[in-house]
Amino acid sequence: MRKTPGQDPIGAAPTNTETKAGTADTQGGAPPLSTVVRVRSLLPSLPPAERRVAQRVIDDPEAVANSTITELAQACGTSETTVIRFCRAIGFTGYPELRLTLATEAGRAQTAQGGRVVGSDIGPEDTLQLVVEKVTYADARAVEETAAQLDIEALSLVVDTIVDARRVDVYGVGASAFVALDFQQKLHRIGRTCFAWSDAHIMLTSAAVLEKGDVAVGISHTGATADTIDALAVAHKRGATTVALTNFPRSPIAEVADHVLTTAARETTFRSGATASRLAQLTVIDCVFVGVAQRTYAPTREALEATFEAVRGRRVRQERKRR
């Protein structure tokens, strides 16, 4: 993978130009990047012992904030050295800094929720009202946290690449296929040549005819969908610029991508990869689309007006509905 500027090498602590977990720049009113969000995104790439510590942070960050390093190590069935290694892997100097950050974030979250805990999984005894609160909270957090951690420099490079592209091919299977279709529809409407593919064989044949100047976008929440990875790898080999959209920046799809855009979705009970992750993906896709539209402002306005006129006559008028 060609490293997009601003991405940290695996296992490295953030540099001066990077955002440390839990202390993101809040310019423009953006929420700070949650430590839990970063830990969740790095979870699959951690060694097994560190992964147990990470899972504990994800499941109950407030309890971790109230635990000593010895208590956390015992709860995770590992050593204090492993806990320290985990802290450094996610960008902290040590456990005290992690505890302080988690405690601060927990207090901020409780204040924002008015003291109510709605970020947990849905249980069999939850009322429908509480289910609604938990679902909407998870969806809103997916969008907010995705925006907070989105690498603007990487986003800008992707936008530039698509603006200059001869054609854009988008790959995605399952729920990601719907996101790919949404991106195709948006780009087509402003006059950009774009195709969305979800069949494994067609994705591969599409990638096989791409060339330098083309762009291939692979969408996979886990970053481990073989069909999408294989198609993106073929496109990369053909010389096309490749872009990955995933929840996990160190996942296999990143290895065949020139640029990686990440989401920050957390799935809960009854909400597998087809729900909150899709909303997060659509958020990033919207950002890319608007960026492209903005940089091609005049022709985009003309295209939008033309497409609006093309379908305006297909809307049912109020007088007709009353007959």
Side-chain angles (χ1 to χ4, degrees):
M1 170 183 139
R2 191 175 70 214
K3 188 164 75 85
T4 300
Q7 289 181 331
D8 60 318
I10 293 178
T15 65
N16 291 335
T17 59
E18 294 169 331
T19 299
K20 179 179 281 189
T23 58
D25 183 4
T26 56
Q27 265 190 327
L33 176 57
S34 165
T35 301
V36 174
V37 170
R38 178 168 173 79
V39 172
R40 192 186 304 132
S41 72
L42 298 178
L43 183 65
S45 65
L46 295 172
E50 291 180 31
R51 197 177 305 159
R52 292 197 298 272
V53 180
Q55 193 62 59
R56 182 76 171 177
V57 170
I58 293 169
D59 292 341
D60 197 347
E62 190 171 355
V64 173
N66 292 321
S67 301
T68 65
I69 189 171
T70 302
E71 291 170 339
L72 179 60
Q74 290 176 347
C76 298
T78 188
S79 66
E80 295 178 14
T81 302
T82 298
V83 173
I84 294 172
R85 255 199 321 266
F86 162 75
C87 293
R88 290 174 178 169
I90 63 171
F92 290 101
T93 57
Y95 187 59
E97 187 181 9
L98 173 64
R99 285 185 68 186
L100 178 60
T101 303
L102 289 175
T104 302
E105 291 176 357
R108 187 187 300 123
Q110 285 193 356
T111 300
Q113 297 168 24
R116 296 198 64 185
V117 180
V118 294
S120 57
D121 283 355
I122 296 170
E125 304 302 322
D126 288 346
T127 64
L128 187 56
Q129 176 63 40
L130 186 54
V131 168
V132 170
E133 290 182 14
K134 287 184 175 182
V135 168
T136 54
Y137 175 82
D139 289 349
R141 289 298 290 166
V143 173
E144 291 171 358
E145 291 177 347
T146 292
Q149 60 80 55
L150 191 58
D151 186 335
I152 302 302
E153 187 175 357
L155 177 65
S156 180
L157 290 172
V158 171
V159 168
D160 288 341
T161 302
I162 291 177
V163 167
D164 296 333
R166 180 181 70 99
R167 63 182 272 183
V168 179
D169 282 42
V170 192
Y171 309 130
V173 300
S176 295
F178 297 110
V179 180
L181 285 169
D182 179 80
F183 195 27
Q184 177 196 32
Q185 186 272 337
K186 283 181 166 67
L187 289 181
H188 260 312
R189 194 176 172 199
I190 61 172
R192 315 296 301 186
T193 302
C194 181
F195 305 95
W197 311 108
S198 59
D199 178 88
H201 287 196
I202 298 178
M203 287 195 293
L204 289 171
T205 54
S206 153
V209 297
L210 294 181
E211 57 190 43
K212 186 176 181 180
D214 297 331
V215 175
V217 181
I219 303 173
S220 171
H221 173 69
T222 63
T225 306
D227 293 339
T228 307
I229 294 170
D230 291 346
L232 210 61
V234 171
H236 190 273
K237 186 177 180 181
R238 289 282 302 170
T241 299
T242 52
V243 179
L245 175 56
T246 178
N247 208 67
F248 304 101
R250 297 179 186 175
S251 56
I253 199 170
E255 297 301 316
V256 293
D258 294 311
H259 308 295
V260 179
L261 298 176
T262 53
T263 56
R266 173 181 177 266
E267 302 299 345
T268 57
T269 314
F270 311 125
R271 297 173 60 73
S272 59
T275 49
S277 62
R278 188 174 70 247
L279 291 174
Q281 290 170 348
L282 287 169
T283 298
V284 177
I285 289 300
D286 280 350
C287 291
V288 175
F289 166 71
V290 173
V292 172
Q294 182 190 41
R295 297 188 191 185
T296 55
Y297 195 85
T300 290
R301 285 294 299 271
E302 292 178 7
L304 289 174
E305 290 171 4
T307 53
F308 175 78
E309 286 296 324
V311 299
R312 187 169 64 170
R314 307 305 302 166
R315 292 184 173 87
V316 177
R317 290 191 287 271
Q318 292 299 318
E319 296 81 4
R320 182 177 170 185
K321 285 175 67 177
R322 286 195 290 266
R323 292 177 183 174

